[in-house]
């Protein structure tokens, strides 16, 4: 092997190594910017927009919320979660305008309570009641494999609505 052939071979191997390194760094930056493929575990005001509530959960907010937080998780099958604080006397208005019934009392999920206490550290003890949300329908009349659930969370001077939906 001549000296010039060896030099060309070293240059080619060096360029290949540099290309691999650059590709790896670019991929790492893109994955970091994409927030880990599965959405963000952080609550925000716009992960599920308020205008999307009828499509995703089958409900509308009859009064302006005091607080609105949401998040979207999942990779192939999306998982949506919303926490809405309504004025203290708005439970019956919310239920009536959405044709919902306050269901059985159920234990409050610890993760939901943690999220509420992060949003409002002074959150009192809450009672959780199930809400049976309507079936999800597509615009063409077919059904959407979207499983919905909701809870009405009530305490002294506090009213929250917790909504979840996930695709299968």
């Amino acid at each position: 092997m001549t000296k010039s052939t060896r030099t060309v071979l070293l240059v080619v191997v060096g360029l290949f190594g540099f290309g691999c390194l650059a590709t790896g760094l670019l991929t790492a930056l893109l994955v970091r910017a994409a927030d880990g493929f599965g959405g963000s575990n952080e609550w925000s005001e716009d992960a599920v927009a308020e205008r999307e509530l009828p499509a995703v959960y089958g409900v509308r907010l009859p009064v302006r919320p005091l607080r609105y937080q949401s998040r979207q998780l999942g990779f192939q099958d999306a998982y949506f979660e919303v926490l809405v604080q309504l004025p203290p006397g708005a439970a019956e208005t919310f239920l009536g305008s959405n044709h919902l019934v306050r269901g059985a009392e159920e234990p409050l999920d610890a993760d939901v309570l943690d999220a509420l206490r992060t949003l409002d550290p002074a959150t009192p003890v809450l009672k959780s009641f199930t809400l049976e949300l309507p079936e999800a329908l597509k615009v063409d009349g077919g059904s959407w494999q979207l499983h919905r659930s909701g809870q009405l969370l009530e305490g002294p001077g506090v009213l929250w609505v917790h909504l979840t939906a996930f695709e299968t």
Side-chain angles (χ1 to χ4, degrees):
M1 182 182 288
T2 66
K3 186 175 182 176
S4 63
T5 306
R6 199 173 353 170
T7 303
V8 169
L9 184 61
L10 281 172
V11 168
V12 168
V13 169
L15 287 174
F16 178 75
F18 180 74
C20 290
L21 178 65
T23 301
L25 288 174
L26 182 62
T27 301
L29 288 173
L30 289 174
V31 167
R32 185 174 178 183
D35 208 5
F37 291 118
S40 174
N41 198 31
E42 298 297 318
W43 292 89
S44 72
E45 294 180 0
D46 58 1
V48 178
E50 188 177 330
R51 69 180 176 279
E52 296 171 337
L53 288 178
V56 178
Y57 300 103
V59 298
R60 295 182 187 280
L61 298 179
V63 295
R64 185 173 185 84
L66 301 175
R67 288 197 182 128
Y68 183 93
Q69 293 289 304
S70 61
R71 64 183 176 173
Q72 181 177 351
L73 306 166
F75 175 58
Q76 291 179 337
D77 298 328
Y79 179 85
F80 310 97
E81 190 169 15
V82 173
L83 283 169
V84 181
Q85 185 180 18
L86 296 175
E92 298 309 318
T93 304
F94 173 76
L95 294 170
S97 67
N98 289 294
H99 308 289
L100 300 173
V101 177
R102 182 185 280 111
E105 188 172 348
E106 65 180 12
L108 181 58
D109 183 84
D111 290 338
V112 174
L113 184 57
D114 287 345
L116 291 172
R117 293 243 162 94
T118 299
L119 295 171
D120 183 5
T123 298
V125 174
L126 299 171
K127 289 185 177 182
S128 174
F129 301 93
T130 60
L131 297 174
E132 188 172 329
L133 302 178
E135 181 183 353
L137 299 175
K138 290 184 178 179
V139 177
D140 65 3
S143 64
W144 183 14
Q145 292 301 314
L146 186 68
H147 303 278
R148 301 167 162 175
S149 66
Q151 290 83 35
L152 190 67
L153 311 171
E154 296 178 290
V158 178
L159 174 64
W160 286 90
V161 176
H162 175 240
L163 303 169
T164 59
F166 63 93
E167 296 176 311
T168 57

